[in-house]
Amino acid sequence: MSKLGVAIVGTGMIGEVHRRAAILAGAIVRGVSASSLERASEVALAWDVPRAYRDIEDVVADPQVQVVHVCTPNHLHRAMAQTALEAGKHVICEKPLATTFEDAKALAALAASTGLVATVPFVYRYHPVVREARARIAQGELGPLRLIHGSYLQDWLMDPASNNWRVDPKLGGASRVFADIGSHWCDLVEWVSGERFAEVSAAFATVIAERSAASSRSFATATTDAGMHAVSSEDVAAAMFKTAGGTLASLTVSQISAGRRNRLWFEIDGAKASVAFDQEDSERLWIGLPDQREEIFVRGPGAGSSEQRRLSVLPAGHAQGYGNCFDAFVADTYRAIKAERPEGLPTFDDGLRSALIVDRVIASARTRAWTSID
Ligand code: SOE
C-alpha cells in the first residue's frame, strides 16, 4: 500500500505532535489548515509541506489526503470530524470527541456507518508499563479487584493571569478539568482494569473565580489584557465511582496543583496484589504484594507482556515518554487503516464512552446525587 497522505487541522502544540507522529509513521503530510489561511501558510512554510488549506472543506477536497487529523479547540471537533468522514476520509480527532454526549453519539454512529477508521488519542494507553499492568490484571495476577483510586494533577492554570480557550465553556465545553484530563484517567483505568464505571458521585469547584482575558494560544500564557473576567468552568473536581462489578473508585483532578506538571496516577488494588502507575515516573510499574513485599517492573524490550515489549521501542535506561505514546497511537491508527487490528486502539466508540462519563459527571456535580452511567 502506498504511503498515506494526511492533513493536519489545527496548529497549536498538539498539531505539531500529530505532525511528528504522522511523519514517523511513514505518512506524507500533504498540508495544514489553521485559524486563517495566513496562519496556515506560515505553518506550511515552517513545516515544509506543500499546501495551506483555506478551511476543512478545502482539506477534504484534496484527493491526496486519506487521513484528517483534527487538532482544533473542542467546539470545532464535531463539524470537522463529520465533514471529513462524510468526504470518505479516515479521522484522528483530538479528545474530547465532541463537547456534548449527543454530538459524540452522532459522530460515533457516522464513523461506524462509513467503515472508516476513526480514532481518539487516549494516548496514555500506550505507556509500555500500562500495557504490562493491563496484561497482569487480565491474567488474574491481582485477583478480584477491590479498589481503584488515583488523581490527575497539573498546575498550568494556577495563576489567575493565565487563561486558555478551555476555560470558556463555549469553546471547551460545559466541564473543563474533568472533561479535559479526568477523561484520560477514566479511559485509562477502565481499559487497564477491565471494569466499567456504572455510577458516579462528583463535585466541581471553580477556585479561581476571575481570570484575565482568554488567550487563543493552545496553552496558557499570561495575556496583556488587564481586564479580569468571571470564570464558571471548574479548576478541580472529585469523583467517586462504582463499577458494574461493585468495585469502588475515587478520582481527584486539578489544573491548579503547584508542582504537578502532568501527573496522571492510578493504583488498582486486588485480593492478591496491587499495581500503581505514575505518569511522571512512567518507566516503572509498582507492584504491591502481601507480607511487606513489593516489586518494581522496569520498562524494557526484553521482559514482560507482548504488548509491553511491542511498545518498548528504546532499550531499558533510555526513557520513553509522551511523544513515544503518541507515535505508537498514530502508527496503530495507520495500521488499522491498512486492515491490521492493533490491540487497545482507542476509537470513536471510546470517545463516545468518554463523553457519556463526562455527561454523567457533570449531571452529578450539578445535582449532588449519585448518577448512573448508562
Ligand atoms: C491540557 O490539560 C492537556 O494538554 C490536555 O488537553 C491533554 O489531553 C493532556 O494529555 C495533557 O494536558
Side-chain angles (χ1 to χ4, degrees):
M1 185 175 191
S2 60
K3 281 177 171 280
L4 288 170
V6 309
I8 309 290
V9 180
T11 56
M13 178 278 283
I14 208 64
E16 175 63 32
V17 171
H18 279 250
R19 169 187 169 256
R20 282 200 302 267
I23 293 168
L24 190 70
I28 300 173
V29 179
R30 299 291 186 189
V32 59
S33 171
S35 51
S36 69
L37 182 57
E38 180 190 8
R39 173 69 179 148
S41 302
E42 278 173 22
V43 175
L45 192 62
W47 287 1
D48 189 23
V49 297
R51 295 205 52 188
Y53 300 106
R54 277 191 319 281
D55 51 29
I56 187 68
E57 285 75 21
D58 198 16
V59 169
V60 300
D62 185 344
Q64 290 193 301
V65 168
Q66 288 80 48
V67 189
V68 177
H69 290 242
V70 177
C71 307
T72 54
N74 298 349
H75 68 294
L76 299 172
H77 292 182
R78 162 68 195 270
M80 290 187 166
Q82 179 170 330
T83 300
L85 288 168
E86 287 174 346
K89 311 294 186 181
H90 302 286
V91 178
I92 294 180
C93 181
E94 263 298 328
K95 36 68 61 189
L97 181 55
T99 53
T100 66
F101 175 56
E102 291 66 30
D103 281 355
K105 196 158 47 174
L107 276 176
L110 175 60
S113 70
T114 63
L116 291 161
V117 172
T119 63
V120 178
F122 287 120
V123 294
Y124 300 118
R125 296 185 181 195
Y126 284 84
H127 280 293
V129 301
V130 165
R131 300 259 163 160
E132 184 67 18
R134 183 170 184 265
R136 290 177 180 237
I137 290 171
Q139 289 156 14
E141 195 172 310
L142 272 59
L145 303 188
R146 290 176 164 170
L147 177 65
I148 299 169
H149 51 112
S151 58
Y152 193 163
L153 309 176
Q154 299 175 332
D155 65 4
W156 64 286
L157 279 172
M158 69 180 285
D159 179 351
S162 65
N163 211 314
N164 181 262
W165 53 262
R166 290 174 181 77
V167 175
D168 180 350
K170 292 191 297 300
L171 305 180
S175 157
R176 179 197 351 134
V177 75
F178 192 91
D180 191 23
I181 57 176
S183 56
H184 273 299
W185 190 91
C186 290
D187 170 77
L188 191 64
V189 157
E190 282 197 326
W191 186 71
V192 168
S193 69
E195 298 209 11
R196 302 263 284 185
F197 297 141
E199 51 183 326
V200 60
S201 173
F204 288 174
T206 303
V207 175
I208 301 174
E210 287 194 333
R211 290 181 181 272
S212 18
S215 151
S216 60
R217 301 284 295 277
S218 67
F219 259 88
T221 49
T223 63
T224 52
D225 176 337
M228 297 299 277
H229 300 258
V231 171
S232 62
S233 59
E234 82 280 13
D235 298 302
V236 298
M240 285 189 296
F241 298 92
K242 283 182 193 158
T243 71
T247 307
L248 196 57
S250 68
L251 167 62
T252 308
V253 277
S254 163
Q255 288 176 324
I256 59 169
S257 296
R260 297 303 189 187
R261 302 290 174 259
N262 195 31
R263 191 198 185 243
L264 183 159
W265 182 89
F266 68 77
E267 180 171 324
I268 299 172
D269 302 338
K272 297 193 297 186
S274 303
V275 289
F277 170 73
D278 179 351
Q279 156 100 326
E280 293 186 346
D281 180 16
S282 60
E283 295 282 282
R284 297 149 45 95
L285 179 71
W286 176 82
I287 298 146
L289 299 162
D291 310 323
Q292 285 75 46
R293 290 176 296 118
E294 63 185 64
E295 292 171 4
I296 300 290
F297 176 87
V298 180
R299 179 200 66 76
S305 64
S306 59
E307 276 296 285
Q308 192 280 142
R309 283 180 278 115
R310 174 174 81 94
L311 296 176
S312 271
V313 293
L314 294 174
H318 298 66
Q320 295 187 193
Y322 178 80
N324 299 97
C325 294
F326 226 101
D327 297 344
F329 159 73
V330 170
D332 272 6
T333 296
Y334 295 172
R335 285 193 182 97
I337 290 170
K338 295 170 183 172
E340 293 180 39
R341 300 180 62 79
E343 183 174 332
L345 180 64
T347 68
F348 275 23
D349 286 341
D350 299 291
L352 174 59
R353 172 68 187 167
S354 180
L356 173 63
I357 292 173
V358 168
D359 182 81
R360 298 301 189 270
V361 162
I362 292 169
S364 174
R366 283 180 179 154
T367 61
R368 298 169 178 243
W370 277 94
T371 304
S372 64
I373 301 173
D374 56 19

